[in-house]
Amino acid sequence: MSANSADQARLLDVVLVKSGRTKIRYAAELLTDDGTRIAVRAPWSGAGVRDFGFVRFEPGDVFTEYYWRDRWYAVKEVRDAAGALKGWYCDITRPATLSGTELVVEDLDLDLWRSADGTDIRRLDEDEFAESGLTQTDPEAATAAVAALDELQAYATVEGGLESLLA
C-alpha cells in the first residue's frame, strides 16, 4: 500500500442527518476507532463565521469530534487556529454508524455547550426538540435524547468531566 493510499484510508465523510435529510457533510481525518468510540478531526466546515453569541465558530477553528456507537451523543472539542481551547459543543444524536468511509449521525436537535473555563454551560435548542414531534413519533428515542442531555450536563458541571469521556 502506498503512502497516498494510507492517507486516503484515514479520511471519512461525516454526514449529519436531521429529519431524514443531510444537514451537512464534511471530510474529517479518522484519529481512532476502538469499535465503540470513533474520533475524527476536521476544520470548521461552515461558510464563514457562525456567531452564537456565546461562542464564534470561524475559519481556522479545529474540531476534534468523538462519536459513540452505543451512546446518544457526540462531543466536539473546539480549538481556535492557534490551538487555544474554546470549549465543547455536544450534539444529542442517535448512536453513530460507520459504513465504509461514511460516519452517519442523526441529529436530535438538543445540544449542550461548555466553555473552556467551565463558567458557561448551556442547554441549547430545547424548543426545536419540542417542536420536532419526536416525543410523539418515537417516545423511546425522545427519552434517550433527554437522558443523554442530562448525562452530558452532569459531566460538564464537574471539572474535567467532559475530558474524562474523551480520554
Side-chain angles (χ1 to χ4, degrees):
M1 177 181 287
S2 71
N4 201 17
S5 297
D7 288 343
Q8 290 174 355
R10 294 179 51 202
L11 294 179
L12 297 178
D13 278 340
V14 177
V15 182
L16 186 63
V17 176
K18 189 170 180 177
S19 302
R21 295 189 178 135
T22 298
K23 180 179 174 183
I24 190 169
R25 172 188 292 266
Y26 54 93
E29 176 190 5
L30 176 63
L31 300 176
T32 63
D33 180 357
D34 67 8
T36 301
R37 188 183 76 185
I38 301 162
V40 302
R41 182 171 296 129
W44 166 242
S45 60
V49 174
R50 177 121 188 241
D51 190 342
F52 291 95
F54 53 89
V55 66
R56 289 169 49 103
F57 297 158
E58 49 204 335
D61 286 352
V62 176
F63 288 66
T64 303
E65 305 175 357
Y66 300 86
Y67 298 92
W68 285 263
R69 290 177 172 97
D70 63 350
R71 297 185 189 181
W72 288 70
Y73 53 76
V75 177
K76 301 171 181 181
E77 179 187 271
V78 185
R79 293 184 178 271
D80 68 17
L85 180 64
K86 290 185 174 187
W88 294 267
Y89 196 93
C90 307
D91 287 318
I92 304 305
T93 67
R94 291 185 189 269
T97 59
L98 180 60
S99 178
T101 60
E102 277 193 347
L103 177 60
V104 180
V105 185
E106 184 180 348
D107 186 345
L108 298 178
D109 294 309
L110 294 170
D111 301 299
L112 182 91
W113 169 255
R114 182 187 185 274
S115 62
D117 65 5
T119 60
D120 188 6
I121 300 170
R122 299 170 182 250
R123 293 168 74 110
L124 305 168
D125 303 329
E126 290 178 296
D127 54 339
E128 288 181 30
F129 178 74
E131 292 168 9
S132 75
L134 192 63
T135 55
Q136 289 77 37
T137 60
D138 192 344
E140 288 180 15
T143 298
V146 171
L149 182 62
D150 291 342
E151 180 182 339
L152 283 172
Q153 185 171 9
Y155 276 112
T157 59
V158 176
E159 187 174 337
L162 284 175
E163 297 93 321
S164 70
L165 280 174
L166 312 179

